[in-house]
Amino acid sequence: MVALPAPPGTRVPGGMPAADVLLADGTVAVIREVRPADRPGLEALHDEASAASLRLRFFATSRRAGRDYVAHLFEGGGADTMASLVATVHDRVVALATAERVGPDAAEVAFMVADSLRGRGVGSLLLEHLAAAARDQGVRRFVAEVLAENTRMLRVFLDAGFEISRETEEGTVHVEMGTTASARAVAAADEREFLSEARSLAPLLYPGSVAVTGVRRDGTGVGAAVLDSIGSGGFTGRLCVVHPQAEAVDGVTAYPRLTDVPFHLDLVVVAVPAERVLDTIRDAATAGASSAVVISSGFEELGGVGKDIQREMLRIARDHSMRLVGPNCLGLMSNHPDVRLNATFSPFVPPSGGLAIASQSGGVGIVLIDVARDLGLGVGCFVSLGNKADVSGNDLLAAWRDDPRVGAAALYLESFGNAAKFARVARRFAERKPLLAVVGGRSAGGRRAGASHTAAATTPGVGVDALFAQAGVIGCRSAEEMADTALLLTEQALPAGPRVAIVSNAGGLGVLAADEADSGGLVVPELSPTLREQIARHVTGTAGTSNPVDAGAGAAGSDLAAITAALLDSGEVDAVLVILVRTNVTDPAPVLEALARCRVEHPGTPLVLVPMGGLDARREDLPGITVLRSAAAAIRSLGRASAYAAWLRVPHEDPPATDEDVAAEARRIAEELVSETAEDGGWLDVEQITDLLSPYGLVPVGALVHSPLAASAAAAHIGFPVAVKVADQHVVHKTDRGLVRVGLQSGMEVLSSVRAFEEELGHDEVPVLVQPVVSGVEVALGVVRDPGFGPMVMVAAGGVATDLWNDRAFLVPPISRADATRALRSLRIWPLLEGYRGSHRGDVDALAGIVVSLGALATDVPQVAELDLNPVVVTPEDCVLVDIKVRVASGLPVNAGIPRQLRSPR
């Protein structure tokens, strides 16, 4: 029950976009504003309603009440109706929702749903869309009168996640509901989406019947290759081919058209030439197929007519509630033992297992499958997304989250579509199961979006890293790295911490692995004397007992197993890495057998083996031990697993709810400021900044003056020492030009400094900010808008050396306090904030609060194009905003990723 992306260009009167939505049973409906042409459909909706439905809606069984209400909407009686929405299925009106004003900030809502669609979530979706429309028009409360026996309608209000109050009197329940898109409301919508996606995609992911189109009888072409893959893979369901002349192809029964197939089709594989795809999709839809995978290419990727054909393909599929993968894709695998479907033209089939894979690139998908097969990584599902006309990575994550056959997911993406939506869906998935991802297209040269430190620091990979860090996504750099990490995560428990012990029979390799561990976020701890003494009994010659442990080239299997067992049981490390090199000194077979016994006797702590020098270590002989190809791969995989475990240990915290009134006022001020500046916006002065940011608690310290004498007087009032700086936002790098003076001890020093500013800038009445001198840790915070990710908030080491420090992290709003604190802790300057070498701890809570406020501002006010707070001086008592720069502009995106029906007002 999720708002699916509407086909490009779909709009309705009034500017509200039509929303394709997925109902709980997999039916695709459209929610849009009422149109004049809807009157007959609305009359039919009320005429066909049962007497019970009419009574629940109008408190009477009179059919005239329904007709009268429709007339009320269309004949001018509905002047107070601030929103009226319909839901349609196959162009038939199946539901109506209205909101009529009953006060300046309140509206009464009412719903009518066709009897045949009750219980499928239509009311919930309509309510969410109504709430969005209401916020757009300043309505903060919904009211409704509901018969106490109308439990379904009451449940719609209760389950929506909005703030609700109820009062019952004489069999009628008076309901009041806030319209704010709170975190709870968004979560409720997401949960409904996850359930709907799972039901909708089940025939695609676990098909019991498949038809393949585009198969040549001579065995050539993609269709024949797919049919061969299905046959050799041992598909357990019903299989047929569509061919206009043949009765059978390669031993598989053929039918002239999809509509001639005598059984229901869960999946149609489309491999016909591009010019025949639309007809094939129409046939599949008419036949009632549940899903289709379009392997054929020549559509949106080529633009022009191909793009139009893809749009029509999607329209047909949605009109018939048929899910669509592709086009221009490799196909899919459902590799579970009870399905065994390889509907791709790749011959590689990995072992069956719990990893689900989605790839936007068919080529990368082939590599992933091949690497998984070589590693012995168990894959249960593979979907090649192609052009993502319908089914996306978000949809699959929603379907896979509660699927007991999926233990982890891996994605290869080249675009996010809706980055904030991905962040939210990914977080909900990662809270239950590991989610790995590789993103292509990160290597473009760093761009410069503006003059601020924040904009200059934003490069193409920054948004990806920020999104992954917040959402708990395990980011990888290649298909091979993702496969290695997935193998570790599916075979081992999560590490309890970052401490790793390294054991080898070649000391140099252990040292190199320890060096790699530091860059991988792991710690190679010094072992306790007791543990070292225990290990010493099992090392040979001059080998070492420190960490990394050098067992010696001649170490016997029993000794290596004893060392490994001691480390696994010590409680001093969170994972053990064994690097074993084949030598002529020791027979490797007994060594591997001893390690296998050790694993069985000492389960729990992750154990990874790296065989080298031609050592043949087969996974099937080493149950419970993950075998990887290199020490570097093992360290990187353990580092990612440790980071994911650390993310899971931090309790989830929702961002604060949006104050709709504050947000609306801030947007109004910002729009005025945009019109007052240059055509495309511009930098604001201190007074403008104060007006815009003060509702968010973001105000620079000090007094703004416009003359040397006024500056001297302000300094005397503030108290010496003071700092003075030019407050013209068009002047950047003020320190380099001598336009900032710090530590002034008298009025005369202030006078001479301001006069020097006037000389440097060549005019009088220079705006000057006079501020107290504050000591503490300098931090830089900021906001910038990325074309792909929308607004991002930066936290960094601050002051004049911000760029030299290169110590920064980014966050994707909305931001919780937990997110803000995590980002601050990731900075190298964190020890200074926490109290380094006896210094006082800074007010980190206040600093995190400022970061949260910046996230709210960035989400609420799309006109804020860039913002820099540098420095923010963190003292033990407070955080002082010393310098603020803000640039405003028009036409920027807002609230990307929030479900369309829950978005804050624009």
Side-chain angles (χ1 to χ4, degrees), residues 776-810:
V777 180
E778 293 187 344
V779 174
L781 306 176
V783 173
V784 71
R785 293 187 182 269
D786 182 273
F789 290 89
M792 292 194 296
V793 173
M794 182 190 76
V795 298
V800 295
T802 293
D803 296 329
L804 292 176
W805 274 98
N806 194 28
D807 182 19
R808 55 178 63 92
F810 283 81

Side-chain angles (χ1 to χ4, degrees), residues 194 229 240 326 427 501 593 719 803:
F194 277 45
S229 294
C240 67
R427 177 189 279 274
E593 291 170 6
D803 296 329

Side-chain angles (χ1 to χ4, degrees), residues 687-870:
E687 290 175 315
Q688 293 171 323
I689 288 172
T690 301
D691 289 342
L692 179 62
L693 302 189
S694 57
Y696 294 89
L698 305 171
V699 180
V701 67
L704 179 66
V705 297
H706 293 82
S707 73
L709 287 175
S712 180
H717 178 74
I718 290 171
F720 296 100
V722 298
V724 294
K725 67 177 69 172
V726 170
D728 185 342
Q729 295 301 319
H730 296 285
V731 179
V732 295
H733 302 299
K734 293 185 275 290
T735 302
D736 297 340
R737 297 181 61 182
L739 300 177
V740 177
R741 303 288 176 88
V742 181
L744 306 182
Q745 297 286 348
S746 68
M748 288 302 296
E749 290 186 36
V750 173
L751 278 170
S752 63
S753 296
V754 176
R755 285 170 180 156
F757 295 167
E758 293 175 340
E759 261 185 60
E760 170 67 20
L761 295 175
H763 61 85
D764 296 336
E765 296 188 355
V766 172
V768 174
L769 193 60
V770 183
Q771 299 176 307
V773 173
V774 184
S775 297
V777 180
E778 293 187 344
V779 174
L781 306 176
V783 173
V784 71
R785 293 187 182 269
D786 182 273
F789 290 89
M792 292 194 296
V793 173
M794 182 190 76
V795 298
V800 295
T802 293
D803 296 329
L804 292 176
W805 274 98
N806 194 28
D807 182 19
R808 55 178 63 92
F810 283 81
L811 294 156
V812 179
I815 299 169
S816 69
R817 189 170 286 270
D819 289 333
T821 302
R822 176 194 54 77
L824 292 169
R825 285 180 175 273
S826 73
L827 300 178
R828 294 196 303 274
I829 63 164
W830 171 253
L832 298 177
L833 293 167
E834 201 171 27
Y836 185 65
R837 291 190 175 180
S839 62
H840 293 290
R841 185 178 189 270
D843 192 345
V844 177
D845 290 339
L847 182 60
I850 293 173
V851 176
V852 171
S853 294
L854 282 175
L857 172 72
T859 303
D860 294 345
V861 190
Q863 295 89 350
V864 174
E866 286 182 56
L867 181 149
D868 245 16
L869 306 180
N870 185 27

